[in-house]
Amino acid sequence: MARSVNKTVPTGQSVESFLSAVQPTRKAEEAWVLDAVFRNATGFAPVMWGASMIGYGRYHYRYKSGREGDFLATGFSPRKSALSIYIMPGYADFGDILTRLGKHKLGKSCLYVNKLADIDLDVLSELIRAGLKDLDQHWPVQPT
């Protein structure tokens, strides 16, 4: 049986070039702010994963099924409809932090935020650090 390969992998594309091309302008400005928040909270340099995801740190996973691969430890994507923020690997309950975050929607392993003015960026930083700490207990997180 052939093993499946992750579709989302590091690309080598310039993060700065990607952020400079984000439209509309408000979304680009927010993406630059998120980049600064993630850099500060993680201490990691950003790397493009796929066409539109910016990742900070990486981890290698190996499931009991035999599937394994590498993926971004945390990051975001400035999507058209909302900012997708990938910070919760799904292992822990971060409800206490999320109640202080502000207006957001919760996906399986990400948050959706319409605009940064809706959330508290200090709480977001706390959530990023908590997510990385939790992930590192399951799969060691490496710098990018």
Side-chain angles (χ1 to χ4, degrees), residues 109-131:
S109 63
C110 65
L111 297 173
Y112 300 104
V113 175
N114 289 330
K115 57 186 183 286
L116 290 185
D118 290 341
I119 63 170
D120 183 321
L121 295 180
D122 290 332
V123 175
L124 177 61
S125 293
E126 179 184 348
L127 187 58
I128 292 167
R129 288 188 297 274

Side-chain angles (χ1 to χ4, degrees), residues 97-104 118-120 123:
I97 300 173
L98 290 170
T99 59
R100 296 183 284 115
L101 180 63
K103 186 178 176 183
H104 67 277
D118 290 341
I119 63 170
D120 183 321
V123 175

Side-chain angles (χ1 to χ4, degrees), residues 1-141:
M1 175 169 81
R3 292 204 177 178
S4 61
V5 177
N6 283 347
K7 294 178 184 176
T8 306
V9 297
T11 65
Q13 177 186 1
S14 163
V15 171
E16 290 76 15
S17 294
F18 172 76
L19 290 174
S20 295
V22 171
Q23 291 295 321
T25 304
R26 179 188 64 82
K27 184 87 55 176
E29 290 167 354
E30 291 184 330
W32 283 104
V33 170
L34 274 180
D35 177 50
V37 168
F38 273 89
R39 286 177 191 246
N40 186 51
T42 67
F44 299 143
V47 171
M48 290 300 302
W49 286 72
S52 64
M53 295 171 68
I54 302 170
Y56 303 81
R58 66 187 308 148
Y59 67 99
H60 183 81
Y61 61 87
R62 182 176 294 132
Y63 299 133
K64 290 179 183 178
S65 67
R67 178 176 167 85
E68 66 180 284
D70 296 298
F71 203 65
L72 61 96
T74 190
F76 73 95
S77 181
R79 308 258 187 219
K80 287 182 183 179
S81 60
L83 297 163
S84 297
I85 303 174
Y86 309 102
I87 53 176
M88 301 173 311
Y91 300 112
D93 177 7
F94 297 110
D96 58 326
I97 300 173
L98 290 170
T99 59
R100 296 183 284 115
L101 180 63
K103 186 178 176 183
H104 67 277
K105 291 182 182 175
L106 192 58
K108 185 172 182 175
S109 63
C110 65
L111 297 173
Y112 300 104
V113 175
N114 289 330
K115 57 186 183 286
L116 290 185
D118 290 341
I119 63 170
D120 183 321
L121 295 180
D122 290 332
V123 175
L124 177 61
S125 293
E126 179 184 348
L127 187 58
I128 292 167
R129 288 188 297 274
L132 280 177
K133 182 178 178 182
D134 180 59
L135 176 61
D136 193 54
Q137 292 176 5
H138 299 274
W139 310 106
V141 174

